[in-house]
Amino acid sequence: LIPSSAPLSAYHPFTPSPLPLPLVRFPELGVSHGLEMLISVALGQVLSLLICGIGLTSKYLSEDFHANTPVFQSFLNYILLFLVYTTTLAVRQGEENLLAILRRRWWKYMILGLIDLEANYLVVKAYQYTTLTSIQLLDCFVIPVVILLSWFFLLIRYKAVHFLGIVVCILGMGCMAGADVLVGRHQGAGENKLVGDLLVLGGATLYGISNVWEEYIIRTLSRVEFLGMIGLFGAFFSGIQLAIMEHKELLKVPWDWQIGLLYVGFSACMFGLYSFMPVVIKKTSATSVNLSLLTADLYSLFCGLFLFHYKFSGLYLLSFFTILIGLVLYSSTSTYVAQDPRVYKQFRNPSGPVVDLPATAQVEPSVTYTSLGQETEEEPHVRVA
C-alpha cells in the first residue's frame, strides 16, 4: 500500500472537480510472485510461533506456579517497548522527535494504547468464564472486523479468491475446535459462558481496531513511531491498571529463578511479536496477518503433545493444512485500493494542503492499484489572464 506516483494532472490546482485516478497495472510476476507469496506465508508463521511461546510461558506461570498476572506481563512488554523505541524517538531531531509527535497526535496514541491494552486483558480474562473451544472460535471475529475496517478506512478492496481463502481458514479453525471436543481436551471451567463469550468478542473487536490502526500508522508514518507511542501509553495505563487490580496477585507470586526465567521468556516473545508484526503487516496486510495467526493454537497444541501429554487427533493435522491452504489462496492474488493512497496524507496534516509524494516512490509488487473512474482523461486547458 505504498503510494504510487500519479501524474500531476490528477491533482491539477485549477481543476474544477477531481479527475478520475489513473489505472495502474503491474505485470504478472511469475516465479517472483510465487516466492513473494511463500515469504508472506512464512513471515506470518513466525508470528504464530512467537504467540505459541507467549501461550506456553503463560500456561506454565498460571498452572504450575499459580502466577495469574496478565496485566503485569503486559506491563513488562510495554516497558521494553518504551526503553527501546520511545527513547529512540526522544533522541531524534525535528518533526520525528517525541515531543513533536506528542504535540500533534498525543490523544490518538492515548486511545490506541488503551485499546491495545484492553484487547489483551479481555481475551485473557475470558479464560476464567468460558471454554477453550468458544475462545478459539469467537476469536476469529477479529477477521471480519479487520476486513470491514480495512474496507472503509484503508480503502482496501478484496477479490473473490480472498474471501474464499478466508472461509477456508475459518473452516480449518472450526476443524481444530471440533478435534478438541472429540479428544476431550481440557475446556476450562465455563461457569459463566455468556460473560466469557462477550469478553472474547470485545477483545477480538479491539484487536481488529488496533491492527488496522497499526497498519495505517506504519504505512503513513513509521514503525518506530507506532511502537514508541504504544510503549509510552501502554506502560502508563498498564501501570495504573496493575496498581489498582493486580497488585495483590503480584505479591502472592512465589518468586524463584524458574518463575523469573518464564517472565523473561514471555517478555522476549511478546517484545519480538510487537517489534516484528509491523514489518509483516507492511509486507502483507492486517487481514493476512490475522489469518496467519490462526495456526498459533495448533503450534501450541503440537508442543502440548510432548510437554502436557495432550491426546492427538488426525483432525489437528487436517486443520493445520486447511489453514495453510487458505493462507496460500488469500496470498495468491493482490488486493487493491479504491483511490490513490496519497489521500492518506490528508489525515496526517488535516489543516494543511495535501503533500505530494516524489515521483520515485516505490510500489510494492504484491499490491495492485485501481480507479473508480475512467482510465484516462486529458488534462484541462488553463487560460491565465
Side-chain angles (χ1 to χ4, degrees), residues 185-236:
R185 188 180 171 194
H186 178 62
Q187 293 290 307
E191 295 176 353
N192 197 334
K193 198 168 182 301
L194 178 60
V195 172
D197 291 348
L198 291 175
L199 288 175
V200 178
L201 290 174
T205 302
L206 294 180
Y207 270 132
I209 296 171
S210 175
N211 287 165
V212 173
W213 204 336
E214 177 179 355
E215 181 173 354
Y216 166 74
I217 291 171
I218 62 177
R219 293 191 187 283
T220 59
L221 299 168
S222 75
R223 166 179 170 269
V224 174
E225 177 174 330
F226 168 77
L227 293 173
M229 302 310 290
I230 281 290
L232 175 63
F233 287 103
F236 176 74

Side-chain angles (χ1 to χ4, degrees), residues 110-284:
M110 182 182 70
I111 296 173
L112 180 58
L114 271 174
I115 289 174
D116 189 77
L117 171 64
E118 298 310 322
N120 292 318
Y121 179 76
L122 289 178
V123 174
V124 172
K125 192 71 174 176
Y127 280 90
Q128 300 178 17
Y129 298 100
T130 189
T131 62
L132 177 64
T133 300
S134 292
I135 292 174
Q136 290 171 340
L137 292 177
L138 294 176
D139 201 36
C140 295
F141 185 68
V142 68
I143 295 172
V145 172
V146 169
I147 291 173
L148 288 174
L149 292 177
S150 297
W151 183 284
F152 288 107
F153 294 101
L154 300 184
L155 309 176
I156 296 176
R157 298 295 180 260
Y158 303 91
K159 301 174 184 176
V161 68
H162 295 124
F163 292 108
L164 178 60
I166 291 168
V167 170
V168 171
C169 286
I170 294 177
L171 286 176
M173 200 66 188
C175 182
M176 185 189 71
D180 285 342
V181 175
L182 290 176
V183 301
R185 188 180 171 194
H186 178 62
Q187 293 290 307
E191 295 176 353
N192 197 334
K193 198 168 182 301
L194 178 60
V195 172
D197 291 348
L198 291 175
L199 288 175
V200 178
L201 290 174
T205 302
L206 294 180
Y207 270 132
I209 296 171
S210 175
N211 287 165
V212 173
W213 204 336
E214 177 179 355
E215 181 173 354
Y216 166 74
I217 291 171
I218 62 177
R219 293 191 187 283
T220 59
L221 299 168
S222 75
R223 166 179 170 269
V224 174
E225 177 174 330
F226 168 77
L227 293 173
M229 302 310 290
I230 281 290
L232 175 63
F233 287 103
F236 176 74
F237 288 118
S238 62
I240 294 175
Q241 191 166 340
L242 173 64
I244 296 174
M245 303 176 60
E246 213 172 77
H247 64 281
K248 293 182 180 179
E249 285 292 332
L250 196 57
L251 294 174
K252 295 178 184 177
V253 175
W255 293 97
D256 60 20
W257 68 271
Q258 290 178 306
I259 291 181
L261 192 61
L262 287 171
Y263 275 116
V264 170
F266 175 91
S267 300
C269 289
M270 185 70 91
F271 178 78
L273 177 69
Y274 270 69
S275 298
F276 190 50
M277 183 177 283
V279 176
V280 183
I281 287 180
K282 190 169 185 178
K283 178 74 176 174
T284 58

Side-chain angles (χ1 to χ4, degrees), residues 25 41 43 45 60 63 94 110 128 170 200 223 261 273-274 299 313 350 354 366:
R25 298 186 184 278
V41 173
L43 290 175
Q45 296 315 293
Y60 274 117
E63 295 190 1
M110 182 182 70
Q128 300 178 17
I170 294 177
V200 178
R223 166 179 170 269
L261 192 61
L273 177 69
Y274 270 69
Y299 289 128
S313 170
V354 177
S366 60

